[in-house]
Structures are given as C-alpha cells and as structure tokens.
Amino acid sequence: MDPSEPDQLFNKLMIWMKSLHFTSLSLDPKCLRSGRAFGEVLHGIDEEFFNEMWIEKVAHYDSDSNWRVKANNLRKLTRSLGEYYDEHVGRIVKGTPLLDIDEMEFAEAGSVKELLKMAVLIVGAAFLGRKPEKFVAGVAVLDPDVQSGVATAIQGIMDGSEKRQVQTPVAPEEVLPDLKPSNGGASSSSSEELGGKIALLSKENSELRQDRDNLEGQLEKARQKLYELTQGKSVDEFEQDISDLKEKKTRLETQVIETETEMELLKGKIDSLSQENEDLKSKVGQIRPFEDEFRRLRDEVEELRVKEADHSKLQQAYEQLKNKAKDSSNDRAELLVLREKVKSYVEHGMLLEDEQRKNKTLRTQMGSYKALSEEKTRENDKLIIKVDKLEHELATAKDRLAAAETRVEGLVQEKLLLENKIAHECKISVY
C-alpha cells in the first residue's frame, strides 16, 4: 500500500463526517485524540444505542491532557462499537485487527493509522447498522473521491470482520424430500422405494409427534417450575432486572476503566519517584567520599567562628569608643546650636517689644479717631434732623402753594364770569 493512502483515506472520511454535522468539535487529528468528537458522531448515527447517558460517559478532555486519561474514552468507544456490531450489524469485530487500536499511538501521538481504524468502524456503523438509508442519500451528493473512500471503508469492514451466525428455523421442505411425481413414467422399483420411504417417514413422523408431546409436557412442567422459581415475575420485570444489571455492569466497567487509568497514573508517578530515589541514592554514594573533607572543613569553620566571635567583641568595643567620641562632638555641636537659638530668641524679643510700643501708639490714635468719629456722627444726626424738618416745611409750603394756585384759578374764573356778565349788561343798556 502506498504510504500516502491511509492519509488520503482518513481525509476523505473526515470530509464525510463533517458533512453529517453531528459534532461541533474540530476533526483535526490533534483534537480527535480525546475521542469525544468520535463519540458525538456515533451519538448522531444511532441515538438509541449511543444515547445521552452513553455520550455523557465520554468525557471532554483537553488535547494536552495525559494520554492515559484520554485512553479511557478510547476503551469506552471500542467496547461499545464491538457490542453495536455484534447486536445490530451482525458482524464480529471483537478480536479482529479492526478493533486493535494502540492506545498510546491514538491518545498521545494522534497517529493517523490508529485514528483511521476508528473512522472506518464509525463508517461501518453508519452504513451497515440499523439506519443506513439516512446516510446513503447524504453520501450521494459528495465528491466521488469521498464516495470511493466510504466504499473502501465499508469493504474493509466486510473483509476484516466475520459474519455472526444466526440460527434460523428449518423449513419443512428442507426436512422432507420432494415427493412430487415426475412428469415421466416411474418404474416399479422406484415406486416400491418411494413407498418404503413414505412408510419410513410416516413412522418417523409418528415418533416425532410422540416426542413433541413429551417435549410439550416437559415444557409445561418447566414453565410451572420456572413460575415457582421466579415467584410469578413477568418477562418485562425480568427484562427490567436484566437492563438494571447491564447498567450496573456498565457502571462497574466504567469504574474499572477509571481505576485502571488511575492505576496507570500512579504507576507513572511511582516510576518517576523510583527514578528520583535512585538518583538520590547515587548522589549519596557520590557524597560519601567527601565526608572526611567535610569533617575537616567543619573543624576549620568552628575555629573561624571562635576567631570571628573574638573579632566581633573587639569590633564592639571599638564601636563603643567611637560612639562616645561621636557623642562628645555631638554635644558641642548642640551647644553651639543652642547659643544661636538663644541669640535669635533675644533678637525676636526686642522686635516684639518694638511692635508692642507701636501697637500702643496705634491704639491711642485709634481712640482719638474713634472720639472724633463719634462727634462727627452726632453732628451728622443733627443735620439729618434739620434736613427732615426742612423737607417737612417744604412739603407744607408746596401744599399751601397748590391750594393758592387753585384759589387763584377759581378767582380768575370768577373774574371772567363777571367780565362776561358786565359786557352783557352793557349791551342790554345800549339797546
């Protein structure tokens, strides 16, 4: 086979899976290592067998997770696919190279060869399972290369698996020979032989009927005994018990797989710890020759510590003397600072006395100014009173003037009336 053929076939099958739109996850080999995308595709192919409870057990794992953890999903997929092929496809893939997928190559390296095995099994489950008709129409619209890839995968399933033998009831025609007369004339010998066969078959038929009656009696007894043993349970109840046991078995298998995964992880940790222990032992072995040298160096260190203690005492005494000298110089500096402060305080005191004298002078001036201001205020009040009187007199004069003007106007009117009256009388006297 051409080395590029598995890659090409894998790409064709991935195109077919993308056309199904059963998963939103990436179908890149790196992402397929967790097995979750394959599980979602199987769930879309047959939701009754690969149901919601089943898909929940196929956990989500990051692509960079430990490969032993991701191999847990691979075991669930292969086990379920083996059961599906056995029950609904009618072919046996358990124990065949089709189901022989290397867990490490699949989950860690993302080998296209191992991923292709899983893709081929999924194609077979779709086209050879219970609902092939809904996939035939879909693949017909795809590219011919993709169609040929799907056909190659199906043929690989047919060639790599064995057909499961199913016992079928034997038809009466297969038990009894053909007793129809031939169109040609029969010889006397063949007639006698045929009569002997008929007699023999009749005898066998009677014996078979007797056996059937005996078997029916035994069957009735077995049914009665079964009823007594089962305490009257129905078939549905037994089927329910069987389904419960199957679920329990599935849970136990899942727990076993998880336990095996944890065991693999613990084995890896134990191996790493053992390796670290061996490394430490080798390092200890390398250190032992240096013990004498270490003891000698330790004695030298002790001597140096004693010398260091003596040196620290001398250093401490020197520091004390140095601090005393520094304290005396500090006292002198503080004395000079205090003298400067006293001098500045005296100067500030003299300035304060000058300011106090100035304040007294200002207070005296302020008193005289205040008395003058009060006198001016009194004069101002008198002027205001005088102005008020004048304003009142002015208002009175204005009122009197207005009354006089009114009176003058009345007199003028009377004068005009008198003049008119006199003129009228003069005219009358003339006539």
Side-chain angles (χ1 to χ4, degrees):
M1 179 185 290
D2 188 355
S4 63
E5 287 185 6
D7 295 339
Q8 295 176 0
L9 180 58
F10 177 76
N11 293 331
K12 293 174 183 177
L13 298 185
M14 290 302 103
I15 293 172
W16 172 75
M17 285 189 188
K18 288 179 182 177
S19 68
L20 299 177
H21 303 292
F22 286 157
T23 179
S24 59
L25 300 176
S26 174
L27 296 180
D28 184 72
K30 184 178 180 181
C31 299
L32 289 173
R33 294 181 299 174
S34 67
R36 173 69 187 190
F38 286 134
E40 292 183 0
V41 173
L42 286 172
H43 175 64
I45 289 173
D46 194 335
E47 295 182 356
E48 296 178 6
F49 188 86
F50 305 103
N51 51 30
E52 292 291 339
M53 185 182 298
W54 179 85
I55 193 63
E56 287 177 0
K57 295 177 182 178
V58 183
H60 282 280
Y61 291 120
D62 189 70
S63 59
D64 297 328
S65 300
N66 190 293
W67 71 269
R68 290 185 175 87
V69 177
K70 291 185 287 187
N72 189 11
N73 281 348
L74 176 60
R75 297 188 194 102
K76 295 175 184 176
L77 293 175
T78 53
R79 185 178 66 251
S80 299
L81 279 170
E83 294 174 356
Y84 186 80
Y85 270 84
D86 188 51
E87 295 178 13
H88 301 295
V89 180
R91 305 195 71 85
I92 300 173
V93 295
K94 294 180 180 179
T96 65
L98 291 172
L99 214 58
D100 184 16
I101 301 176
D102 189 293
E103 294 181 354
M104 184 175 180
E105 290 292 324
F106 182 96
E108 184 176 22
S111 172
V112 173
K113 179 182 177 183
E114 305 303 323
L115 294 172
L116 179 60
K117 292 180 182 179
M118 180 59 67
V120 169
L121 289 169
I122 292 174
V123 171
F127 288 93
L128 301 176
R130 294 192 294 183
K131 303 174 182 178
E133 60 278 357
K134 73 176 184 178
F135 301 105
V136 173
V139 78
V141 300
L142 297 178
D143 189 82
D145 290 339
V146 178
Q147 296 179 15
S148 65
V150 172
T152 303
I154 296 172
Q155 188 61 41
I157 292 291
M158 300 298 291
D159 296 339
S161 62
E162 299 178 1
K163 185 174 178 61
R164 188 165 66 89
Q165 298 295 330
V166 181
Q167 294 183 354
T168 56
V170 181
E173 291 80 2
E174 296 177 0
V175 177
L176 297 175
D178 189 6
L179 301 178
K180 294 180 181 179
S182 60
N183 294 329
S187 61
S188 59
S189 60
S190 60
S191 298
E192 292 176 358
E193 185 179 355
L194 185 59
K197 287 183 178 181
I198 291 172
L200 181 61
L201 289 173
S202 298
K203 183 179 180 180
E204 290 179 355
N205 189 18
S206 62
E207 291 176 355
L208 289 173
R209 285 181 179 177
Q210 184 66 30
D211 292 339
R212 185 190 66 184
D213 295 337
N214 294 333
L215 290 173
E216 286 179 353
Q218 293 177 4
L219 179 61
E220 187 64 28
K221 291 179 181 179
R223 284 178 179 173
Q224 185 65 28
K225 189 174 182 180
L226 178 63
Y227 181 80
E228 293 174 357
L229 292 174
T230 58
Q231 297 178 354
K233 284 188 177 180
S234 64
V235 177
D236 294 335
E237 292 176 346
F238 273 109
E239 289 179 352
Q240 182 64 33
D241 294 340
I242 291 170
S243 64
D244 294 339
L245 290 173
K246 284 183 178 179
E247 290 180 1
K248 188 175 181 180
K249 176 189 172 186
T250 305
R251 288 196 299 271
L252 291 174
E253 288 177 350
T254 304
Q255 292 176 1
V256 168
I257 291 171
E258 292 175 354
T259 305
E260 289 177 353
T261 304
E262 292 179 359
M263 185 176 67
E264 291 293 333
L265 293 173
L266 291 174
K267 282 182 179 179
K269 291 181 180 179
I270 290 170
D271 293 338
S272 62
L273 291 174
S274 300
Q275 185 63 34
E276 290 178 1
N277 192 17
E278 292 296 330
D279 295 339
L280 291 174
K281 285 182 179 179
S282 62
K283 289 180 180 179
V284 169
Q286 294 174 1
I287 290 171
R288 282 178 181 173
F290 297 98
E291 288 182 354
D292 296 334
E293 183 69 18
F294 174 73
R295 291 193 187 94
R296 185 181 64 79
L297 292 174
R298 186 174 59 186
D299 295 337
E300 291 181 359
V301 168
E302 290 296 330
E303 293 177 359
L304 291 173
R305 283 179 180 173
V306 174
K307 291 180 180 180
E308 184 181 3
D310 296 337
H311 177 73
S312 63
K313 289 179 181 178
L314 293 173
Q315 185 71 23
Q316 188 175 2
Y318 173 74
E319 290 293 334
Q320 289 177 356
L321 293 173
K322 189 176 179 180
N323 290 331
K324 287 181 180 179
K326 188 183 291 185
D327 292 339
S328 62
S329 62
N330 290 335
D331 292 339
R332 291 175 185 173
E334 288 179 359
L335 183 60
L336 293 174
V337 171
L338 289 173
R339 286 178 180 175
E340 292 293 331
K341 287 183 178 180
V342 169
K343 185 178 179 181
S344 63
Y345 289 157
V346 171
E347 292 176 354
H348 282 296
M350 294 173 67
L351 292 174
L352 286 173
E353 289 177 356
D354 293 338
E355 291 293 331
Q356 287 177 355
R357 285 194 296 272
K358 290 179 181 180
N359 287 334
K360 287 180 180 179
T361 305
L362 289 173
R363 285 176 184 173
T364 304
Q365 291 178 358
M366 287 292 293
S368 61
Y369 289 152
K370 188 175 182 181
L372 183 61
S373 175
E374 290 176 354
E375 185 178 355
K376 294 293 183 182
T377 302
R378 286 193 295 271
E379 291 178 357
N380 190 22
D381 292 338
K382 291 178 180 180
L383 290 173
I384 289 170
I385 293 169
K386 190 175 181 180
V387 168
D388 290 338
K389 288 180 179 180
L390 291 174
E391 286 179 353
H392 183 266
E393 291 177 357
L394 178 62
T396 305
K398 284 181 179 180
D399 293 337
R400 291 173 66 186
L401 179 61
E405 288 177 352
T406 304
R407 187 176 179 184
V408 167
E409 287 179 358
L411 293 173
V412 169
Q413 291 293 333
E414 289 179 0
K415 179 183 177 183
L416 290 174
L417 290 173
L418 289 172
E419 287 178 353
N420 291 330
K421 187 176 180 181
I422 291 170
H424 183 68
E425 289 178 355
C426 287
K427 286 179 180 181
I428 293 173
S429 63
V430 171
Y431 291 114

